[in-house]
């Protein structure tokens, strides 16, 4: 039976993986939260890998507070870069395939067509820089890796844009949302299914991949779809990024090209609005 370690086991993506992986009885999944396994603790990582024989490690552990990272740069790099390096080194020694999650924020957003895997990276905030460093350290230390860059993740778990909008929709009569940043909202359960497909088909096509739901929109468009789908009445106003200043700059355009992953994994990628409907339905059931 293949043994799969999921780090950051209590986070949004890990919890989606748990839901999606549940019916797959031919794999044993070990979900390790940050108190079970701190990926920045080299010794702990080495011992954890030594005591178990994993076939895969899915790294869902990350420092994800994009704005806070501007003032906690050291911590962001420790988790997103050194943590990833620790896992890569342990994977090499133990012959484990690493599936690591990265971000559209490795790009500067100046492009006008979707970003391919080989396009030049140029992060414009600390979080993006720390995630890029993590990618580089994995590539320097390991060859059996999949790095999946994704964007605008949401689900019924944790805190994310969908849940924030639903909360604000209950609290307010009107809301201003940025309309000049374009990207692809991605349901974390769809990403989880793509990750599991890599394992199920035992792919050896290692490398960097982009995965996001198909289609794209602005944060305003995303919010509008959320309110329409959940029948929330609210006055929604479009604003520009310069009217909503945040500590971290965000790329204006971060749509990822999915061509490579569709071809290599023979994937059908759901349209973002269809997945949003599924997520809202699931939230309403809970
Ligand atoms: N969310 C997005 O919009 C988005 C977009 C693009 C890419 N991504 C990437 O997608 C991946 C999954 O994101 P997510 O939304 O699931 O993030 P999340 O909900 O914030 O989960 C991250 C998890 O990492 C854990 N963690 C933090 N430091 C750790 C450490 N030193 N050792 C072990 N675990 C640690 C956290 O545990 P504690 O809470 O206990 O600290 C948390 O459970 C990340 O790599 C992220 O960079 C996310």
């Amino acid at each position: 039976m293949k043994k799969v370690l999921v780090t950051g086991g209590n986070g949004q993506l890990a919890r989606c993986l748990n839901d999606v992986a549940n019916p797959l009885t031919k794999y044993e999944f070990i979900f390790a939260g940050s108190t079970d396994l701190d990926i920045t603790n080299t010794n702990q990582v080495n011992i954890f890998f030594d005591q178990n024989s994993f076939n895969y490690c899915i790294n869902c552990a990350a420092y994800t507070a994009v704005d806070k990272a501007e003032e906690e740069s050291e911590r962001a790099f420790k988790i997103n870069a050194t943590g990833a390096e620790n896992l890569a080194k342990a994977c090499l020694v133990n012959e484990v395939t690493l599936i690591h999650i990265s971000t559209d924020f490795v790009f500067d957003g100046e492009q006008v067509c979707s970003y391919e895997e080989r396009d030049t990276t140029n992060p414009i905030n600390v979080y993006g820089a720390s995630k890029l460093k993590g990618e580089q350290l994995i590539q320097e230390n390991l060859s059996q890796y999949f790095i999946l860059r994704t964007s605008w993740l949401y689900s019924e778990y944790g805190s994310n844009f969908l849940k924030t909008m639903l909360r604000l929709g209950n609290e307010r009569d009107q809301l201003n949302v940025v309309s000049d940043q374009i990207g692809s909202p991605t349901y974390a359960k769809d990403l989880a299914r793509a990750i599991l497909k890599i394992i199920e088909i035992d792919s050896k096509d290692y490398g960097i991949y982009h995965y996001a739901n198909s289609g794209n929109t602005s944060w305003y468009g995303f919010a509008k779809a959320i309110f329409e789908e959940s029948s929330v009445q609210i006055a929604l106003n479009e604003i520009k990024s310069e009217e909503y200043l945040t500590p971290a700059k965000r790329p204006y355009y971060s749509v990822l090209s999915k061509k490579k992953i569709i071809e290599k994994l023979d994937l059908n990628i759901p349209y973002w609005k269809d997945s949003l409907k599924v997520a809202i339905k699931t939230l309403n059931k809970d």
Side-chain angles (χ1 to χ4, degrees):
M1 186 186 275
K2 282 192 178 156
K3 218 167 164 178
V4 184
L5 167 65
V6 181
T7 60
N10 298 315
Q12 166 175 229
L13 177 59
R15 291 176 73 186
C16 288
L17 268 164
N18 194 9
D19 287 353
V20 175
N22 239 337
L24 302 178
T25 48
K26 55 186 170 166
Y27 305 100
E28 185 187 353
F29 283 84
I30 287 114
F31 291 85
S34 58
T35 46
D36 310 313
L37 176 62
D38 174 356
I39 64 164
T40 67
N41 184 332
T42 314
N43 252 345
Q44 206 187 5
V45 169
N46 292 339
I47 292 168
F48 207 88
F49 274 72
D50 209 35
Q51 288 177 341
N52 295 276
S53 11
F54 299 119
N55 300 92
Y56 287 92
C57 168
I58 306 175
N59 182 26
C60 296
Y63 181 103
T64 55
V66 177
D67 287 316
K68 217 163 151 207
E70 296 297 308
E71 57 184 61
E72 284 194 346
S73 168
E74 206 177 311
R75 195 166 137 72
F77 270 85
K78 195 166 179 205
I79 298 169
N80 293 342
T82 312
E85 180 183 25
N86 285 341
L87 292 176
K89 286 182 171 166
C91 283
L92 179 70
V93 172
N94 295 280
E95 292 178 39
V96 177
T97 299
L98 177 61
I99 303 178
H100 174 78
I101 316 304
S102 192
T103 172
D104 54 335
F105 281 16
V106 297
F107 296 114
D108 60 18
E110 297 296 322
Q111 211 161 280
V112 287
C113 57
S114 58
Y115 281 96
E116 296 195 356
E117 288 78 356
R118 58 170 182 262
D119 282 331
T120 309
T121 51
N122 182 31
I124 57 172
N125 58 40
V126 169
Y127 166 75
S130 69
K131 293 293 290 184
L132 179 62
K133 188 71 188 166
E135 289 187 5
Q136 291 163 344
L137 288 168
I138 289 169
Q139 290 172 292
E140 280 168 28
N141 284 287
L142 188 69
S143 52
Q144 284 180 219
Y145 68 83
F146 293 88
I147 293 172
L148 265 58
R149 293 182 185 139
T150 190
S151 64
W152 298 22
L153 271 193
Y154 69 90
S155 70
E156 48 274 34
Y157 300 119
S159 44
N160 55 63
F161 189 78
L162 167 64
K163 291 177 72 180
T164 304
M165 286 302 111
L166 291 176
R167 177 174 52 78
L168 293 176
N170 273 329
E171 294 171 2
R172 302 205 190 158
D173 302 327
Q174 63 166 319
L175 200 58
N176 299 336
V177 183
V178 168
S179 64
D180 58 0
Q181 290 170 26
I182 307 296
S184 302
T186 302
Y187 186 24
K189 269 191 191 157
D190 292 335
L191 173 60
R193 283 188 199 95
I195 292 171
L196 292 185
K197 181 125 192 219
I198 292 175
I199 297 175
E200 282 182 291
I201 66 172
D202 198 17
S203 173
K204 306 278 185 231
D205 279 319
Y206 307 118
I208 296 184
Y209 289 87
H210 288 172
Y211 183 92
N213 278 135
S214 67
N216 60 70
T217 186
S218 64
W219 290 110
Y220 168 84
F222 190 13
K224 191 162 176 276
I226 291 169
F227 293 132
E228 278 170 7
E229 192 52 42
S230 41
S231 306
V232 172
Q233 302 298 325
I234 189 167
L236 203 56
N237 310 311
E238 293 184 53
I239 57 164
K240 291 208 156 44
S241 299
E242 65 219 37
E243 296 172 81
Y244 184 76
L245 294 175
T246 51
K249 279 206 286 180
R250 262 85 173 162
Y252 278 108
Y253 183 88
S254 65
V255 178
L256 301 171
S257 163
K258 278 82 66 181
K259 221 166 90 191
K260 182 177 170 189
I261 202 162
I262 289 170
E263 278 171 21
K264 297 272 186 192
L265 296 190
D266 190 23
L267 275 187
N268 281 318
I269 300 189
Y271 179 55
W272 72 269
K273 271 192 180 177
D274 293 336
S275 290
L276 178 63
K277 281 183 194 165
V278 176
I280 291 176
K281 232 185 219 165
T282 312
L283 259 179
N284 289 338
K285 260 194 273 162
D286 294 344

PDB file of all heavy atoms in Angstrom, residues 214-235:
ATOM      1  N   SER A 214     -10.674  26.736 -14.780  1.00  0.00           N
ATOM      2  CA  SER A 214     -10.615  27.397 -16.075  1.00  0.00           C
ATOM      3  C   SER A 214     -11.430  28.697 -16.047  1.00  0.00           C
ATOM      4  O   SER A 214     -12.312  28.882 -15.207  1.00  0.00           O
ATOM      5  CB  SER A 214     -11.083  26.459 -17.187  1.00  0.00           C
ATOM      6  OG  SER A 214     -12.433  26.180 -17.034  1.00  0.00           O
ATOM      7  N   GLY A 215     -11.113  29.575 -16.990  1.00  0.00           N
ATOM      8  CA  GLY A 215     -11.738  30.885 -17.037  1.00  0.00           C
ATOM      9  C   GLY A 215     -11.029  31.838 -16.090  1.00  0.00           C
ATOM     10  O   GLY A 215     -10.142  31.432 -15.335  1.00  0.00           O
ATOM     11  N   ASN A 216     -11.379  33.104 -16.179  1.00  0.00           N
ATOM     12  CA  ASN A 216     -10.792  34.068 -15.248  1.00  0.00           C
ATOM     13  C   ASN A 216     -11.754  35.218 -14.989  1.00  0.00           C
ATOM     14  O   ASN A 216     -12.716  35.399 -15.722  1.00  0.00           O
ATOM     15  CB  ASN A 216      -9.437  34.561 -15.765  1.00  0.00           C
ATOM     16  CG  ASN A 216      -9.557  35.238 -17.107  1.00  0.00           C
ATOM     17  OD1 ASN A 216     -10.115  36.328 -17.196  1.00  0.00           O
ATOM     18  ND2 ASN A 216      -9.065  34.590 -18.164  1.00  0.00           N
ATOM     19  N   THR A 217     -11.442  35.974 -13.951  1.00  0.00           N
ATOM     20  CA  THR A 217     -12.306  37.086 -13.558  1.00  0.00           C
ATOM     21  C   THR A 217     -11.506  38.027 -12.659  1.00  0.00           C
ATOM     22  O   THR A 217     -10.330  37.789 -12.415  1.00  0.00           O
ATOM     23  CB  THR A 217     -13.574  36.555 -12.837  1.00  0.00           C
ATOM     24  OG1 THR A 217     -14.469  37.649 -12.595  1.00  0.00           O
ATOM     25  CG2 THR A 217     -13.251  35.885 -11.511  1.00  0.00           C
ATOM     26  N   SER A 218     -12.170  39.071 -12.184  1.00  0.00           N
ATOM     27  CA  SER A 218     -11.534  39.961 -11.201  1.00  0.00           C
ATOM     28  C   SER A 218     -12.068  39.586  -9.814  1.00  0.00           C
ATOM     29  O   SER A 218     -13.018  38.801  -9.702  1.00  0.00           O
ATOM     30  CB  SER A 218     -11.906  41.413 -11.499  1.00  0.00           C
ATOM     31  OG  SER A 218     -13.307  41.579 -11.329  1.00  0.00           O
ATOM     32  N   TRP A 219     -11.498  40.165  -8.774  1.00  0.00           N
ATOM     33  CA  TRP A 219     -12.041  39.923  -7.425  1.00  0.00           C
ATOM     34  C   TRP A 219     -13.490  40.398  -7.366  1.00  0.00           C
ATOM     35  O   TRP A 219     -14.333  39.776  -6.732  1.00  0.00           O
ATOM     36  CB  TRP A 219     -11.200  40.645  -6.363  1.00  0.00           C
ATOM     37  CG  TRP A 219      -9.831  40.033  -6.188  1.00  0.00           C
ATOM     38  CD1 TRP A 219      -8.642  40.575  -6.551  1.00  0.00           C
ATOM     39  CD2 TRP A 219      -9.523  38.743  -5.617  1.00  0.00           C
ATOM     40  NE1 TRP A 219      -7.621  39.704  -6.236  1.00  0.00           N
ATOM     41  CE2 TRP A 219      -8.130  38.589  -5.661  1.00  0.00           C
ATOM     42  CE3 TRP A 219     -10.296  37.709  -5.070  1.00  0.00           C
ATOM     43  CZ2 TRP A 219      -7.482  37.452  -5.191  1.00  0.00           C
ATOM     44  CZ3 TRP A 219      -9.660  36.568  -4.598  1.00  0.00           C
ATOM     45  CH2 TRP A 219      -8.262  36.449  -4.654  1.00  0.00           C
ATOM     46  N   TYR A 220     -13.773  41.521  -8.090  1.00  0.00           N
ATOM     47  CA  TYR A 220     -15.151  42.030  -8.155  1.00  0.00           C
ATOM     48  C   TYR A 220     -16.069  40.989  -8.809  1.00  0.00           C
ATOM     49  O   TYR A 220     -17.153  40.689  -8.309  1.00  0.00           O
ATOM     50  CB  TYR A 220     -15.162  43.356  -8.934  1.00  0.00           C
ATOM     51  CG  TYR A 220     -16.544  43.826  -9.312  1.00  0.00           C
ATOM     52  CD1 TYR A 220     -17.323  44.542  -8.405  1.00  0.00           C
ATOM     53  CD2 TYR A 220     -17.071  43.544 -10.577  1.00  0.00           C
ATOM     54  CE1 TYR A 220     -18.608  44.959  -8.744  1.00  0.00           C
ATOM     55  CE2 TYR A 220     -18.354  43.950 -10.923  1.00  0.00           C
ATOM     56  CZ  TYR A 220     -19.115  44.659 -10.001  1.00  0.00           C
ATOM     57  OH  TYR A 220     -20.382  45.055 -10.352  1.00  0.00           O
ATOM     58  N   GLY A 221     -15.603  40.433  -9.922  1.00  0.00           N
ATOM     59  CA  GLY A 221     -16.399  39.414 -10.640  1.00  0.00           C
ATOM     60  C   GLY A 221     -16.619  38.171  -9.781  1.00  0.00           C
ATOM     61  O   GLY A 221     -17.700  37.572  -9.789  1.00  0.00           O
ATOM     62  N   PHE A 222     -15.589  37.823  -9.023  1.00  0.00           N
ATOM     63  CA  PHE A 222     -15.665  36.659  -8.122  1.00  0.00           C
ATOM     64  C   PHE A 222     -16.720  36.944  -7.041  1.00  0.00           C
ATOM     65  O   PHE A 222     -17.617  36.128  -6.778  1.00  0.00           O
ATOM     66  CB  PHE A 222     -14.270  36.426  -7.523  1.00  0.00           C
ATOM     67  CG  PHE A 222     -14.078  35.143  -6.748  1.00  0.00           C
ATOM     68  CD1 PHE A 222     -14.997  34.106  -6.786  1.00  0.00           C
ATOM     69  CD2 PHE A 222     -12.925  34.977  -5.966  1.00  0.00           C
ATOM     70  CE1 PHE A 222     -14.784  32.930  -6.049  1.00  0.00           C
ATOM     71  CE2 PHE A 222     -12.715  33.812  -5.238  1.00  0.00           C
ATOM     72  CZ  PHE A 222     -13.655  32.794  -5.272  1.00  0.00           C
ATOM     73  N   ALA A 223     -16.635  38.144  -6.449  1.00  0.00           N
ATOM     74  CA  ALA A 223     -17.589  38.511  -5.389  1.00  0.00           C
ATOM     75  C   ALA A 223     -19.019  38.523  -5.943  1.00  0.00           C
ATOM     76  O   ALA A 223     -19.948  38.012  -5.296  1.00  0.00           O
ATOM     77  CB  ALA A 223     -17.224  39.885  -4.818  1.00  0.00           C
ATOM     78  N   LYS A 224     -19.180  39.079  -7.145  1.00  0.00           N
ATOM     79  CA  LYS A 224     -20.512  39.183  -7.755  1.00  0.00           C
ATOM     80  C   LYS A 224     -21.113  37.782  -7.936  1.00  0.00           C
ATOM     81  O   LYS A 224     -22.276  37.531  -7.607  1.00  0.00           O
ATOM     82  CB  LYS A 224     -20.361  39.878  -9.123  1.00  0.00           C
ATOM     83  CG  LYS A 224     -21.647  40.307  -9.763  1.00  0.00           C
ATOM     84  CD  LYS A 224     -21.326  41.360 -10.849  1.00  0.00           C
ATOM     85  CE  LYS A 224     -22.570  41.755 -11.600  1.00  0.00           C
ATOM     86  NZ  LYS A 224     -22.902  40.841 -12.686  1.00  0.00           N
ATOM     87  N   ALA A 225     -20.286  36.865  -8.423  1.00  0.00           N
ATOM     88  CA  ALA A 225     -20.756  35.482  -8.641  1.00  0.00           C
ATOM     89  C   ALA A 225     -21.118  34.821  -7.310  1.00  0.00           C
ATOM     90  O   ALA A 225     -22.100  34.080  -7.215  1.00  0.00           O
ATOM     91  CB  ALA A 225     -19.669  34.676  -9.361  1.00  0.00           C
ATOM     92  N   ILE A 226     -20.334  35.098  -6.273  1.00  0.00           N
ATOM     93  CA  ILE A 226     -20.620  34.517  -4.941  1.00  0.00           C
ATOM     94  C   ILE A 226     -21.986  34.996  -4.446  1.00  0.00           C
ATOM     95  O   ILE A 226     -22.822  34.201  -4.002  1.00  0.00           O
ATOM     96  CB  ILE A 226     -19.514  34.914  -3.924  1.00  0.00           C
ATOM     97  CG1 ILE A 226     -18.188  34.223  -4.274  1.00  0.00           C
ATOM     98  CG2 ILE A 226     -19.938  34.579  -2.486  1.00  0.00           C
ATOM     99  CD1 ILE A 226     -16.970  34.736  -3.519  1.00  0.00           C
ATOM    100  N   PHE A 227     -22.227  36.312  -4.568  1.00  0.00           N
ATOM    101  CA  PHE A 227     -23.497  36.850  -4.055  1.00  0.00           C
ATOM    102  C   PHE A 227     -24.674  36.379  -4.904  1.00  0.00           C
ATOM    103  O   PHE A 227     -25.745  36.079  -4.375  1.00  0.00           O
ATOM    104  CB  PHE A 227     -23.428  38.382  -3.964  1.00  0.00           C
ATOM    105  CG  PHE A 227     -22.450  38.849  -2.914  1.00  0.00           C
ATOM    106  CD1 PHE A 227     -21.510  39.835  -3.184  1.00  0.00           C
ATOM    107  CD2 PHE A 227     -22.459  38.287  -1.639  1.00  0.00           C
ATOM    108  CE1 PHE A 227     -20.603  40.248  -2.222  1.00  0.00           C
ATOM    109  CE2 PHE A 227     -21.547  38.686  -0.662  1.00  0.00           C
ATOM    110  CZ  PHE A 227     -20.623  39.667  -0.959  1.00  0.00           C
ATOM    111  N   GLU A 228     -24.474  36.311  -6.212  1.00  0.00           N
ATOM    112  CA  GLU A 228     -25.568  35.834  -7.081  1.00  0.00           C
ATOM    113  C   GLU A 228     -25.914  34.386  -6.745  1.00  0.00           C
ATOM    114  O   GLU A 228     -27.067  34.032  -6.576  1.00  0.00           O
ATOM    115  CB  GLU A 228     -25.156  35.946  -8.557  1.00  0.00           C
ATOM    116  CG  GLU A 228     -25.363  37.354  -9.100  1.00  0.00           C
ATOM    117  CD  GLU A 228     -24.742  37.564 -10.475  1.00  0.00           C
ATOM    118  OE1 GLU A 228     -24.253  36.574 -11.094  1.00  0.00           O
ATOM    119  OE2 GLU A 228     -24.727  38.713 -10.924  1.00  0.00           O
ATOM    120  N   GLU A 229     -24.874  33.587  -6.620  1.00  0.00           N
ATOM    121  CA  GLU A 229     -25.090  32.150  -6.400  1.00  0.00           C
ATOM    122  C   GLU A 229     -25.699  31.876  -5.028  1.00  0.00           C
ATOM    123  O   GLU A 229     -26.420  30.899  -4.864  1.00  0.00           O
ATOM    124  CB  GLU A 229     -23.737  31.421  -6.559  1.00  0.00           C
ATOM    125  CG  GLU A 229     -23.819  29.934  -6.654  1.00  0.00           C
ATOM    126  CD  GLU A 229     -24.797  29.451  -7.719  1.00  0.00           C
ATOM    127  OE1 GLU A 229     -24.843  30.014  -8.837  1.00  0.00           O
ATOM    128  OE2 GLU A 229     -25.532  28.498  -7.422  1.00  0.00           O
ATOM    129  N   SER A 230     -25.420  32.748  -4.055  1.00  0.00           N
ATOM    130  CA  SER A 230     -25.971  32.494  -2.724  1.00  0.00           C
ATOM    131  C   SER A 230     -27.156  33.418  -2.410  1.00  0.00           C
ATOM    132  O   SER A 230     -27.575  33.510  -1.251  1.00  0.00           O
ATOM    133  CB  SER A 230     -24.876  32.589  -1.654  1.00  0.00           C
ATOM    134  OG  SER A 230     -24.029  33.651  -1.927  1.00  0.00           O
ATOM    135  N   SER A 231     -27.663  34.091  -3.459  1.00  0.00           N
ATOM    136  CA  SER A 231     -28.844  34.967  -3.345  1.00  0.00           C
ATOM    137  C   SER A 231     -28.724  35.997  -2.226  1.00  0.00           C
ATOM    138  O   SER A 231     -29.666  36.240  -1.475  1.00  0.00           O
ATOM    139  CB  SER A 231     -30.119  34.134  -3.126  1.00  0.00           C
ATOM    140  OG  SER A 231     -30.245  33.173  -4.119  1.00  0.00           O
ATOM    141  N   VAL A 232     -27.541  36.598  -2.115  1.00  0.00           N
ATOM    142  CA  VAL A 232     -27.332  37.666  -1.129  1.00  0.00           C
ATOM    143  C   VAL A 232     -27.540  39.008  -1.835  1.00  0.00           C
ATOM    144  O   VAL A 232     -26.962  39.253  -2.897  1.00  0.00           O
ATOM    145  CB  VAL A 232     -25.895  37.599  -0.530  1.00  0.00           C
ATOM    146  CG1 VAL A 232     -25.608  38.819   0.345  1.00  0.00           C
ATOM    147  CG2 VAL A 232     -25.711  36.318   0.260  1.00  0.00           C
ATOM    148  N   GLN A 233     -28.399  39.850  -1.266  1.00  0.00           N
ATOM    149  CA  GLN A 233     -28.645  41.176  -1.837  1.00  0.00           C
ATOM    150  C   GLN A 233     -27.657  42.156  -1.232  1.00  0.00           C
ATOM    151  O   GLN A 233     -27.673  42.389  -0.031  1.00  0.00           O
ATOM    152  CB  GLN A 233     -30.077  41.644  -1.504  1.00  0.00           C
ATOM    153  CG  GLN A 233     -31.186  40.724  -1.991  1.00  0.00           C
ATOM    154  CD  GLN A 233     -31.200  40.604  -3.505  1.00  0.00           C
ATOM    155  OE1 GLN A 233     -30.900  41.553  -4.226  1.00  0.00           O
ATOM    156  NE2 GLN A 233     -31.521  39.407  -3.993  1.00  0.00           N
ATOM    157  N   ILE A 234     -26.796  42.726  -2.058  1.00  0.00           N
ATOM    158  CA  ILE A 234     -25.816  43.688  -1.554  1.00  0.00           C
ATOM    159  C   ILE A 234     -25.406  44.608  -2.706  1.00  0.00           C
ATOM    160  O   ILE A 234     -25.341  44.154  -3.860  1.00  0.00           O
ATOM    161  CB  ILE A 234     -24.582  42.955  -0.952  1.00  0.00           C
ATOM    162  CG1 ILE A 234     -23.658  43.925  -0.230  1.00  0.00           C
ATOM    163  CG2 ILE A 234     -23.844  42.144  -1.987  1.00  0.00           C
ATOM    164  CD1 ILE A 234     -22.611  43.256   0.654  1.00  0.00           C
ATOM    165  N   ALA A 235     -25.176  45.887  -2.388  1.00  0.00           N
ATOM    166  CA  ALA A 235     -24.693  46.800  -3.442  1.00  0.00           C
ATOM    167  C   ALA A 235     -23.181  46.614  -3.554  1.00  0.00           C
ATOM    168  O   ALA A 235     -22.450  46.837  -2.590  1.00  0.00           O
ATOM    169  CB  ALA A 235     -25.029  48.232  -3.076  1.00  0.00           C
TER     170      ALA A 235
END
